[in-house]
Amino acid sequence: MADHTRYYACVLLLTSCCGMLGCIRAEDVGEATLVYQWASLDYDWPDDATRQSAIDEGRYVPENIIATGIKVHGPVVYLTTPRWRAGVPASLSSVVETSSGRAVLRPFPSWEMNQLGNCSALQSVQSMEVDPLGRMWIADVGGACAPKLIIYDIKTDDVIRTYTFPSDVANTNDTYLNDIVIDTSADDPDDWFAYISNSRNPGGLVVYDYRRDSSHKVFHSSMNAEPDATLMTINGRNYTFNVASDGIALSPLGDNMKVYYCALSGYNLYSIPTSVIKQPVVTDISSSVKQEGRKVSQSDGLVVSQEGNLYFAALHLNAVYRWDTSSEDVSSATELVSDDVTMQWADTFAFDDEGYLWFFANRLHMWRVNELTFTGSEQNFLVWKVYVGEKSYMHKSGGKTIRADLMLCLVAVLYAVISTM
């Protein structure tokens, strides 16, 4: 091959690779994959007799169960089922498949650790997070027992720590531990923090310091429900929610980190520096709170990727939106995926290590007012994943997931260049 021909071949290959790099987001994002779907949620019972006994005694009432939180660790998907109504056998589970291929919930870490009325066990879990060490931080709302935080090592199957919140920080009367993020910015895991949203009006944040094994609360009026946002219109029907600070997300690891938050009954997104709320004694934080703009809709859960993109559900649009936090305010967010039937109320989000964003759509607005059908004619609870080429905010290094076809293209360029030498 003549030198000039090799040269143009190299240019053509390089141009092709650059084109692929530039269009990764446009090509891949938006093609959502349905992973699991259920009309109602069932469990991995020891045997049929145990299941029937639970039904007979009211310990298992399928129509009273809704899943809310989702996290992915390795190949395992974890879901939370808060005990909002009677008949929820377990509040935290992993998704497993039976021998017949049916997806069910296996209580995690065990049936015993989900025993109702045992204050050492999980009582009602709304959300959890898995840190880079494989430890699950579980926010237990409580009930008859006080709210607590359990840190569980998935690898060793051990409870590392159980922390019961002091009543002046969190109690069942004026606190609802809703969503949790883990600040892993310190090199020493003993210096990590947890930030938890309190969605019971007037709202607030609960901060847990691992090294000190202590906690404190933070409040600002921006954490309360917004009077003009309590009404939600979804698929032409009106629903009323009066819920304070709900969604919470943490910016990528680095300098000047901040927590993003918003009320479920709210359009506005806010942030506050972690350096402010980490302090054991937090007084007036008004000067540190920043309004990040007005979202296109009320939203439930939030999540930020390693690249600094914030994802949230536009509840009244049955959609998931993405906002580049380095750009203009959140009003510039764009739609990622949407579906008026199968993506109603995208509740919470999670990243895996393969570049996928996961979310759980649960039709909570309908479940809350007993509008769901559990006969099997409709699928009420759906687990989705969509490729975004990004990972969790807790990853310290690396960037977007590199696709195999892009890697092959770059190898071809390298080979072509070497061949011209």
Side-chain angles (χ1 to χ4, degrees), residues 25 129 250-253 303-311 350-358 386-402:
R25 302 301 288 272
E129 180 64 284
L250 187 61
S251 64
L253 301 179
V303 72
V304 172
S305 72
Q306 181 188 27
E307 300 302 312
N309 288 315
L310 186 147
Y311 295 87
F351 286 100
D352 63 18
D353 289 331
E354 304 299 324
Y356 284 89
L357 173 72
W358 294 64
V386 56
Y387 184 83
V388 294
E390 298 176 290
K391 297 181 181 180
S392 164
Y393 64 94
M394 290 181 285
H395 279 265
K396 288 181 178 290
S397 60
K400 298 181 179 66
T401 303
I402 299 178

Side-chain angles (χ1 to χ4, degrees), residues 242-310:
N242 187 19
V243 181
S245 43
D246 185 324
I248 184 173
L250 187 61
S251 64
L253 301 179
D255 299 328
N256 305 314
M257 291 176 62
K258 54 187 176 180
V259 169
Y260 296 94
Y261 63 89
C262 63
L264 173 64
S265 304
Y267 287 98
N268 294 301
L269 179 71
Y270 298 89
S271 69
I272 186 168
T274 58
S275 59
V276 172
I277 62 175
K278 279 181 178 179
Q279 303 304 315
V281 178
V282 180
T283 53
D284 185 11
I285 62 171
S286 298
S287 61
S288 301
V289 171
K290 178 183 178 182
Q291 184 175 353
E292 299 284 357
R294 183 179 173 89
K295 296 179 276 92
V296 67
S297 166
Q298 299 102 322
S299 59
D300 199 327
L302 310 172
V303 72
V304 172
S305 72
Q306 181 188 27
E307 300 302 312
N309 288 315
L310 186 147

Side-chain angles (χ1 to χ4, degrees), residues 44 116 196-197 223 238 243 247 266 321 362 400:
D44 184 26
L116 187 62
I196 309 171
S197 59
M223 299 171 186
N238 292 332
V243 181
Y321 270 60
N362 61 12
K400 298 181 179 66

Side-chain angles (χ1 to χ4, degrees), residues 78 108-110 113 134 151-160:
Y78 297 92
F108 181 84
S110 64
M113 273 295 291
I151 303 176
Y152 190 86
D153 193 319
I154 297 174
K155 297 177 183 177
T156 63
D157 284 328
D158 289 322
V159 174
I160 296 174

Side-chain angles (χ1 to χ4, degrees), residues 2-65:
D3 288 346
H4 70 278
T5 303
R6 291 194 183 97
Y7 171 79
Y8 286 119
C10 290
V11 171
L12 182 61
L13 279 169
L14 184 59
T15 301
S16 175
C17 289
C18 290
M20 289 171 64
L21 181 63
C23 72
I24 283 177
R25 302 301 288 272
E27 178 181 320
D28 289 336
V29 167
E31 297 180 2
T33 300
L34 181 59
V35 184
Y36 299 112
Q37 58 181 331
W38 299 274
S40 61
L41 297 168
D42 203 351
Y43 288 82
D44 184 26
W45 300 94
D47 50 59
D48 290 341
T50 303
R51 180 179 185 274
Q52 188 59 51
S53 175
I55 293 175
D56 294 342
E57 297 172 7
R59 291 182 287 107
Y60 173 47
V61 184
E63 60 268 26
N64 283 359
I65 303 171

Side-chain angles (χ1 to χ4, degrees), residues 8 50-51 60 71 74 100 107 109 128 190 195 200 222 245 277 287-288 313 326 333-334 343 346 360 376:
Y8 286 119
T50 303
R51 180 179 185 274
Y60 173 47
K71 286 297 177 285
S100 62
M128 71 296 194
D190 286 347
Y195 311 119
R200 186 158 290 161
S222 60
S245 43
I277 62 175
S287 61
S288 301
S326 66
T334 57
M343 295 184 183
F360 188 72

Side-chain angles (χ1 to χ4, degrees), residues 116-132:
L116 187 62
N118 178 0
C119 292
S120 297
L122 300 170
Q123 298 304 290
S124 185
V125 180
Q126 173 81 13
S127 64
M128 71 296 194
E129 180 64 284
V130 182
D131 70 25

